[in-house]
Amino acid sequence: MERSRRVQVAMSFKKVMICLIFGIISYNFAGLNSNFYLDANDELINIPQSVALSGADMAIGSGISPESSPANLAFDTIHRLSVSYANYFQNTYSTSVIGFNAPLGSGIGLGVTAAYVFIPDIDLSPDSTEPVVTGSTNCSYIYFRIGASKRFTIQKNIEFSAGAALSAKRTKLVVYRGYNIGLDGGVRVSFLKSGFSSGLLFENITSITQWSKDENQIAFPHIRLGLGYEKDVRYLYGRLRLAYTSPDLLSNSGVNAELAVENKEQRLIKAPYLLITAAKYGAEYTIMRRVSLRIGLTQGRFSFGGGLQLFNERAGVDFAYMTHALSGTYQLSATYQW
């Protein structure tokens, strides 16, 4: 019976992988107009617990943000509602995020995220691309995502999960508006005894933005690898978490994107050191399940933050700060869990 269950889990895993890969490949050859920057705003939609780790917690995060694998949702055992706010570059723009995740029983997890990015008071000059528009205007980005995942026990102390998330977005620019539907997927394997986890995030399996009746664009797909480690340190009354997230393995986003301006490109096959220099790293230490200290690093940018659990872990507050060449950004959140 146990052997039969393992075979079924393995077959399910193969089917999920085949579907994800087929979707990515077929979408690359769909013939639609593609754009490197359609999903650039998604990385702004995050929570302080992840921001403080520089977004490195792809394999061990909550699963509710775009850069966190939906496969993580199945590992959450409590209901959690959080509200986050971030302010960028001295009030240049801000983001607000509401996230909810909950177990549904039998190893199934659900996550829902709603977010709003607001860019106020954009000055319009006569020499802009639309000279008839003058004065000032606002731009915004509305994001909604719902995801679910299922957890399986492969064998003792080894668990596997697979999940998917459907997203809807609206982008308001100075003159144009775009509406997007997208699908992400993810898988995760956790070795419970050793504390190690690994996972893959498949972003933009499908992702179409419609700007007008005759203008559609697709966002390029991305695949990212995540590694995590979680261990109780009893003699220090705490819990340690370490995290790593690779750059895009398909070589079409971030440092691996084709740099048209400089007429050059960086690809992992030519520069494998990017797996180290362009990756995200994070560390967290939680003391007596009450106080968390976090730090992260990615491409020379540091981040740090902390969290405090209150009222017998019913409520929590978290803070994160990330450095930047222009100006640092901070993020705050309040959480209620039951």
Side-chain angles (χ1 to χ4, degrees), residues 55-59 224-227 243-247 275 278-281:
D57 59 335
M58 189 275 285
R224 306 182 196 277
L225 168 68
L227 302 175
Y244 163 91
T245 296
S246 74
L275 286 170
K280 300 175 180 179
Y281 303 89

Side-chain angles (χ1 to χ4, degrees), residues 2 7 62 69-70 76 78 103 177 206 236 260 266 274 292 295 304 321:
E2 183 64 26
V7 171
S62 65
S69 172
D76 209 333
I78 61 176
R177 292 193 182 194
T206 59
L236 292 179
Q266 292 179 294
L274 291 174
S292 297
I295 189 170
F304 61 89
Y321 185 87

